[in-house]
């Protein structure tokens, strides 16, 4: 069971989650629990890591505020006084460690990817002991562990570190299984791990879901339950489209497509470990536990409609490479991708016109300018490329569903629906898997586009 930050961000929720865990233990389940940072805390830490290098940084003030928030929750969620003492001591130590770290960044006026991950690790390291304390207070036998203590080892690609799968699985099994066999519940920090040289890494945003499925695969569990604040994976983000409905059943490939395209802010690789071991993943609502949620399996029984969901990725940038020199010149695309690939920049979407004089790409917003300048350096003046332009205020809207495969006219319906709302489409792409059709629109139009497609395929309704 993995609990998202939205399920843990006040004392009542923390106690509710502890109660839920205890209820399933009473029913005879054997459990491993994974906890995220309280909602918003990872974003706060990210901001601190960025702002710490400023001359006017109020490091002590920020750290105190964060600490007080966690202490406040601990005091109300942990009723056993011994457990509370342990939790408070842990939080105090973490507070001091974080303060020193941020002052370090402040004095050298620089945050590196490695020190940023170190800062980001505090979210899960502060939330998990509180959940441990809350569980201990209601008589659950439990132990808390960091992702690295549990056995997850990654490469050193800070911010998006990749676990060494086999090694991590082996260690997770040998370290967690004995705890379970003793009748204790391991409570593990999501999102964070260590590299082989021992520095702290993060798995990428939404990485707690990934931690959970990795543990699940290592222990070959029966199911993974990702507890969140909505009933499951939905036909659209309910914050954008209020009529969005919970999808009862999805195949792994559809769910991977949806999450990679922004649904539920889940880590794009989070479903991989479960998919490889064929372990069903359920997405469920912490605050509505009687609802079965969405189940993701390799062989869903329900066929579903043509389009199952509409997703949205914000914070992306569009790059347009143009030049008649590219026409009929093999290897131009390869060259572009190589330049970006060498710099570790992930291309999220590509499209090329048949005339070959134009290639458009979508990259994460955070690396847009770096990508543009790399391409300018490598390609301008070569005679191949005349112009490189970019747009930073765009979003990707995608329609996802197995039913689109081999169904002519789906793209036409999508574009018509969006156009009829007066939204201009900047770029289009469809993978040959035909599992999704993605379009790029101006950021300001993106919610309108989501609603237009949702309506066209009548995805909404009462739950
Ligand atoms: P957690 O704290 O459980 O990890 P997140 O905030 O990461 O929760 O993700 C849950 C949120 O994702 C929901 O509250 C919802 O607003 C948003 N969301 C976006 N798209 C979808 C979707 N297609 N289905 C479900 N939730 C979605
Ligand atoms: N706390 C991390 C994040 O906000 C990981 C997670 O919540 O899954 O991205
Ligand atoms: Mg999340």
């Amino acid at each position: 069971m993995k609990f998202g930050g939205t399920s843990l961000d006040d004392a009542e929720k923390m106690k509710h989650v502890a109660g839920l865990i205890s209820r399933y233990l009473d029913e005879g389940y054997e459990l491993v629990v994974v906890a995220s940072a309280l909602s918003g805390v990872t974003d706060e830490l990210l901001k601190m890591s960025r702002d710490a290098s400023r001359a006017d940084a109020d490091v002590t003030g920020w750290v105190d505020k964060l600490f007080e928030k966690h202490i406040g929750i601990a005091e109300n969620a942990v009723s056993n006084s011994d457990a509370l003492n342990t939790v408070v001591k842990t939080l105090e130590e973490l507070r001091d460690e974080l303060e020193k770290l941020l002052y370090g960044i402040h004095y050298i006026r620089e945050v590196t990817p490695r020190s940023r991950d170190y800062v980001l690790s505090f979210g899960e390291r502060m939330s998990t002991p509180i959940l441990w304390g809350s569980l201990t207070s209601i008589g659950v036998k439990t132990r808390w562990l960091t992702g690295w203590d549990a056995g997850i080892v990654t490469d050193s690609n800070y911010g998006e570190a990749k676990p060494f799968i086999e090694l991590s699985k082996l260690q997770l099994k040998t370290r967690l299984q004995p705890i379970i066999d003793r009748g204790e519940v391991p409570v593990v920090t999501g999102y964070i791990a260590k590299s082989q040289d021992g520095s702290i890494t993060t798995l990428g945003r939404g990485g707690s879901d990934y931690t959970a499925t990795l543990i699940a695969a290592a222990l070959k569990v029966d199911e993974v339950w990702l507890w969140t604040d909505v009933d499951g994976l939905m036909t659209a983000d309910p914050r954008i489209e209020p009529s969005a409905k919970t999808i009862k059943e999805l195949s792994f490939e559809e769910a991977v497509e949806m999450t990679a395209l922004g649904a539920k802010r889940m880590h794009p690789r989070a479903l991989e470990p479960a998919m490889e071991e064929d372990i069903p993943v359920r997405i469920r609502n912490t605050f509505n536990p009687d609802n079965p949620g969405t189940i993701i399996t390799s062989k869903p029984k329900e066929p579903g409609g043509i389009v199952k969901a509409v997703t949205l990725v914000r914070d992306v940038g569009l790059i347009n490479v143009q030049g008649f020199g590219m026409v009929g010149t093999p290897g131009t695309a390869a060259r572009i991708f190589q330049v970006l690939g060498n710099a570790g920049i992930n291309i999220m979407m590509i499209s090329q016109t048949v005339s070959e004089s134009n290639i458009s790409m979508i990259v994460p917003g955070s690396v847009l300018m770096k990508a543009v300048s790399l391409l300018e350096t490598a390609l301008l003046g070569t005679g191949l490329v005349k112009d490189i332009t970019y747009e930073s205020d765009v979003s990707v809207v995608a329609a996802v569903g197995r039913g689109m495969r081999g169904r002519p006219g789906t793209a036409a319906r999508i574009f018509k629906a969006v156009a009829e709302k007066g939204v201009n489409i900047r770029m289009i792409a469809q993978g040959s898997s035909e599992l999704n059709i993605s379009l790029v629109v101006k950021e300001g139009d993106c919610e309108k586009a989501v609603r237009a497609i949702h309506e066209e395929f009548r995805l909404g309704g009462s739950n």
Side-chain angles (χ1 to χ4, degrees):
M1 291 186 172
K2 172 257 172 178
F3 290 90
T6 46
S7 299
L8 300 168
D9 55 6
D10 66 36
E12 285 314 307
K13 290 185 190 174
M14 199 61 92
K15 285 194 281 190
H16 172 73
V17 164
L20 204 56
I21 294 169
S22 158
R23 187 178 114 191
Y24 283 101
L25 289 170
D26 290 345
E27 286 178 23
Y29 285 77
E30 280 184 332
L31 299 176
V32 178
V33 172
V34 173
S36 287
L38 313 185
S39 72
V41 168
T42 306
D43 286 328
E44 258 174 74
L45 289 165
L46 191 60
K47 192 167 181 314
M48 287 182 202
S49 72
R50 210 179 298 136
D51 294 349
S53 52
R54 289 187 3 199
D56 62 347
D58 175 22
V59 167
T60 302
W62 300 337
V63 174
D64 280 342
K65 202 166 145 230
L66 188 67
F67 172 74
E68 273 157 26
K69 174 167 164 173
H70 284 83
I71 285 281
I73 294 177
E75 280 169 348
N76 291 300
V78 183
S79 55
N80 175 303
S81 60
D82 286 342
L84 182 60
N85 283 339
T86 307
V87 174
V88 171
K89 194 162 157 280
T90 306
L91 292 175
E92 278 167 350
E93 283 166 9
L94 288 167
R95 183 218 163 276
D96 293 346
E97 188 183 339
L98 177 61
E99 186 179 32
K100 284 200 191 105
L101 171 60
L102 290 172
Y103 271 117
I105 294 171
H106 180 65
Y107 288 129
I108 58 171
R109 294 276 195 273
E110 180 189 31
V111 60
T112 62
R114 172 166 147 177
S115 53
R116 186 185 305 122
D117 268 8
Y118 186 9
V119 174
L120 292 178
S121 74
F122 283 82
E124 273 71 10
R125 289 162 76 195
M126 292 177 100
S127 65
T128 307
I130 306 178
L131 181 57
W132 168 87
S134 198
L135 282 165
T136 304
S137 300
I138 56 169
V140 174
K141 282 202 278 173
T142 168
R143 261 195 63 181
W144 82 272
L145 301 94
T146 57
W148 56 87
D149 287 336
I152 304 176
V153 186
T154 68
D155 63 13
S156 301
N157 185 19
Y158 300 102
E160 202 66 53
K162 261 204 201 78
F164 293 112
I165 302 285
E166 290 314 316
L167 174 63
S168 300
K169 275 164 63 172
L170 187 70
Q171 300 200 123
L172 286 166
K173 173 85 183 161
T174 45
R175 296 184 193 175
L176 296 180
Q177 194 62 54
I179 302 176
I180 301 167
D181 292 343
R182 282 203 301 273
E184 293 179 354
V185 178
V187 184
V188 184
T189 60
Y191 180 53
I192 58 177
K194 275 189 180 171
S195 65
Q196 275 171 315
D197 67 9
S199 38
I200 295 178
T201 55
T202 65
L203 307 182
R205 297 306 303 272
S208 297
D209 303 295
Y210 198 5
T211 302
T213 54
L214 208 52
I215 293 175
L219 298 175
K220 299 204 188 318
V221 302
D222 301 311
E223 281 192 14
V224 184
W225 293 358
L226 305 174
W227 292 95
T228 184
D229 64 341
V230 287
D231 280 338
L233 273 182
M234 308 185 71
T235 52
D237 186 339
R239 295 178 209 190
I240 296 174
E241 176 50 68
S243 78
K245 237 177 22 188
T246 307
I247 304 168
K248 290 201 171 59
E249 226 181 341
L250 279 169
S251 67
F252 274 114
E253 45 173 6
E254 285 172 311
V256 166
E257 203 85 8
M258 274 183 74
T259 53
L261 289 163
K264 212 201 114 13
R265 290 179 238 144
M266 198 193 282
H267 190 286
R269 309 185 67 156
L271 292 168
E272 258 172 41
M275 187 156 73
E276 266 160 31
E277 297 287 339
D278 204 7
I279 299 170
V281 176
R282 234 179 241 283
I283 301 178
R284 308 189 57 176
N285 190 344
T286 307
F287 311 106
N288 186 16
D290 294 328
N291 189 306
T294 300
I295 183 147
I296 305 166
T297 62
S298 51
K299 290 191 189 63
K301 292 172 210 89
E302 275 184 31
I306 305 171
V307 169
K308 281 203 180 156
V310 191
T311 63
L312 173 63
V313 192
R314 296 180 203 262
D315 299 326
V316 298
L318 184 152
I319 305 174
N320 198 9
V321 180
Q322 251 174 315
F324 289 106
M326 304 197 302
V327 179
T329 312
T332 318
R335 186 115 175 250
I336 293 174
F337 304 149
Q338 196 181 12
V339 168
L340 298 182
N342 287 346
I345 294 173
N346 182 30
I347 306 175
M348 301 162 71
M349 195 171 151
I350 301 162
S351 88
Q352 180 183 31
T353 49
V354 183
S355 78
E356 298 178 41
S357 65
N358 185 317
I359 295 180
S360 305
M361 284 157 291
I362 292 290
V363 296
S366 56
V367 293
L368 173 66
M369 293 323 294
K370 182 175 163 195
V372 170
S373 71
L374 283 169
L375 290 172
E376 283 175 348
T377 314
L379 299 171
L380 287 182
T382 57
L384 284 176
V385 170
K386 194 163 156 287
D387 203 13
I388 298 175
T389 55
Y390 65 89
E391 292 174 40
S392 57
D393 55 343
V394 293
S395 304
V396 180
V397 175
V400 182
R402 266 182 306 156
M404 296 195 294
R405 224 174 246 166
R407 172 84 68 130
T410 311
R413 274 178 75 185
I414 292 172
F415 303 144
K416 186 156 170 279
V418 172
E420 272 174 3
K421 298 286 179 208
V423 174
N424 184 26
I425 301 174
R426 312 281 310 130
M427 177 179 163
I428 295 165
Q430 177 179 34
S432 56
S433 69
E434 293 186 50
L435 269 173
N436 87 71
I437 293 176
S438 305
L439 30 122
V440 176
V441 298
K442 283 284 180 199
E443 172 102 67
D445 284 334
C446 68
E447 300 198 353
K448 222 193 265 178
V450 168
R451 288 192 287 264
I453 301 170
H454 200 264
E455 189 183 311
E456 170 65 26
F457 291 91
R458 302 202 171 72
L459 300 181
S462 56
N463 273 300

